[in-house]
Amino acid sequence: MQLLTDPTPPADLALPATALAGLGTRPFGVYVHVPFCATRCGYCDFNTYTAGELGTSSSPSSWLDGLRRELDLAASMLGRAPAADTVFVGGGTPSLLGADGLAAVLDAVRSSFGLAKDAEVTTESNPESTSPEFFAGIRDAGYNRLSLGMQSAARHVLKVLDRVHTPGRPILAAIEARSAGFEHVNLDVIYGTPGERVEDLRASLDAVLTAEVDHVSAYALIVEEGTALARRVRRGELPMPDDDVLAAYYELIDEVLGSAGLRWYEVSNWASSDAARCRHNLGYWRGGDWWGAGPGAHSHVGGVRWWNVKHPAKYADLLAAGHVPAGGQEVLTEDERHVERVMLELRLAEGLPLEALDAEGASEARAAAREGLLVESELDGRGRAVLTDKGRLLADGVVRRLVP
């Protein structure tokens, strides 16, 4: 692996011809990172900043100026870049930009890359910074998919997570979004928060079903180093999430969502139909290309990966000086690309072609099937390694076996 760790000018970040050769034959997406939040959630380790943390060093206006410059540089570097199949605006809290700000973001992507005719265009939103007028505005701007941070319907769970929205607001926001014309709406759920009881999780799932969304993402709480939550756990104020409880909660989520017609298509994601699946994330999982714009955003094109500097002020300064705001770059070896393919594709309900494994990996796949971790009939019938329900709970361990 070739690894660079200093901010580099455009000439140093030029992509090799081998990476650009297949551009357009794989899905191509644009990710935009909005680094602004009203408050910092105790469990979050994303690259986000409150107004108090930034002071006068950065603002949504200077960030947007930098974003436009980066997208123009990106289109220039990629040459005949394909129109974006997908756009995903994440953060942070993109909805803090308001409908006009998010319209300006999408206009910048259109100006630099263009959008495919059937492009999926998603923005994340915090329920507390949305309204019927907001949803109508971003729908008119061209957004056609929405992801809302719900996390839990239990007030005491939200308090542990330092979430500021009221328990019922995400459901109302989802209903407002559908009324504004959004066919595809996702709700994010976090399970395993210290103090969360099984009845709390059931209440959250009941609320999700009430909202009649067509997509749900459910993630086990991870205590990330450097967060306020990690400090509370270290001081003994809160217990670490229990693995057995997390497994039982995952099984409950899958059972409830599956009974309601939401089927898993990736270990942590459920959708009501193929059309409801997040195409942008599928591009990641299937080895597609994407340009990540914004402070701290990651990009990947043809086996070359790089990431931007994190602080919004440094990001904007580098772009104002004509530099790509890269903080590091790596060129993946064939072995590394193989490991990533197994790790990501195995998490999908469609599984991984057995032919993608070497002889030892294929032998391990058959052993895993005998142990009930992979679907034996899929191995024998379609030649694919597909996780069983049990295998989904142990997916990371299965990956380690298939790429010894």
Side-chain angles (χ1 to χ4, degrees):
M1 176 192 299
Q2 177 190 355
L3 183 63
L4 305 175
T5 55
D6 296 319
T8 50
D12 292 339
L13 198 62
L15 296 169
T18 52
L20 295 173
L23 194 63
T25 64
R26 301 176 293 267
F28 178 73
V30 174
Y31 172 76
V32 175
H33 185 72
V34 180
F36 308 110
C37 279
T39 60
R40 181 173 296 281
C41 298
Y43 65 93
C44 179
D45 72 336
F46 293 166
N47 187 44
T48 62
Y49 305 84
T50 65
E53 290 169 336
L54 287 173
T56 60
S57 67
S58 182
S59 68
S61 177
S62 63
W63 166 83
L64 184 57
D65 287 343
L67 178 71
R68 291 188 178 107
R69 290 189 178 104
E70 184 183 1
L71 291 173
D72 284 346
L73 276 174
S76 175
M77 286 178 59
L78 295 180
R80 292 178 295 173
D85 298 307
T86 63
V87 178
F88 195 107
V89 183
T93 309
S95 48
L96 286 179
L97 299 177
D100 289 345
L102 283 171
V105 168
L106 190 53
D107 284 344
V109 176
R110 282 197 190 96
S111 175
S112 297
F113 287 106
L115 297 177
K117 184 177 180 181
D118 62 343
E120 174 194 87
V121 184
T122 305
T123 183
E124 294 179 339
S125 294
N126 185 320
E128 288 298 309
S129 53
T130 63
S131 66
E133 294 75 21
F134 168 82
F135 292 127
I138 62 172
R139 187 69 187 90
D140 288 344
Y143 290 84
N144 53 31
R145 188 176 183 277
L146 186 71
S147 182
L148 292 163
M150 173 182 165
Q151 319 319 349
S152 176
R155 191 178 299 274
H156 69 96
V157 173
L158 294 174
K159 184 176 181 180
V160 172
L161 296 173
D162 292 324
R163 296 289 293 186
V164 297
H165 65 256
T166 55
R169 177 57 197 160
I171 307 310
L172 182 58
I175 294 170
E176 290 171 354
R178 290 192 294 104
S179 296
F182 280 90
E183 293 182 29
H184 303 306
V185 180
N186 169 68
L187 283 172
D188 278 343
V189 174
I190 289 178
Y191 61 95
T193 300
E196 182 183 44
R197 304 161 300 185
V198 67
E199 53 263 39
D200 297 324
L201 179 58
R202 286 188 179 277
S204 296
L205 295 173
D206 288 344
V208 166
L209 299 183
T210 298
E212 298 183 352
V213 295
D214 64 351
H215 192 286
V216 177
S217 299
Y219 304 104
L221 178 67
I222 298 175
V223 180
E224 301 283 4
E225 278 302 316
T227 62
L229 179 63
R231 290 189 289 273
R232 295 185 67 187
V233 170
R234 190 165 54 248
R235 291 194 298 262
E237 298 174 15
L238 296 171
M240 281 288 287
D242 181 88
D243 288 343
D244 290 337
V245 170
L246 293 177
Y249 283 7
Y250 179 87
E251 291 175 330
L252 175 61
I253 291 167
D254 189 51
E255 175 188 348
V256 171
L257 295 182
S259 297
L262 291 151
R263 307 296 181 186
W264 79 282
Y265 70 99
E266 191 274 342
V267 168
S268 298
N269 290 272
W270 289 258
S272 63
S273 66
D274 288 352
R277 297 177 175 186
C278 180
R279 285 165 47 197
H280 186 83
N281 286 343
L282 282 168
Y284 295 155
W285 298 321
R286 291 172 175 166
D289 297 324
W290 71 93
W291 190 288
H298 286 232
S299 301
H300 171 267
V301 173
V304 180
R305 187 163 49 208
W306 65 96
W307 48 95
N308 287 345
V309 296
K310 288 187 173 183
H311 199 280
K314 187 173 184 179
Y315 166 81
D317 288 346
L318 283 168
L319 283 158
H323 296 297
V324 173
Q329 176 188 2
E330 60 185 2
V331 180
L332 301 177
T333 66
E334 287 301 316
D335 284 347
E336 288 164 342
R337 296 182 72 177
H338 170 69
V339 170
E340 286 204 353
R341 180 185 180 189
V342 174
M343 179 177 65
L344 295 173
E345 289 189 27
L346 191 66
R347 293 179 62 87
L348 296 172
E350 65 202 45
L352 174 79
L354 194 60
E355 63 190 27
L357 302 174
D358 60 19
E360 186 176 357
S363 177
E364 282 293 331
R366 298 200 175 279
R370 291 192 294 272
E371 296 167 25
L373 300 173
L374 295 176
V375 181
E376 200 156 12
S377 61
E378 290 283 353
L379 274 180
D380 295 334
R382 297 199 304 140
R384 301 189 73 85
V386 176
L387 292 169
T388 61
D389 292 347
K390 177 183 176 183
R392 276 190 276 164
L393 296 172
L394 302 168
D396 291 344
V398 177
V399 169
R400 288 192 293 269
R401 291 179 61 173
L402 300 188
V403 284

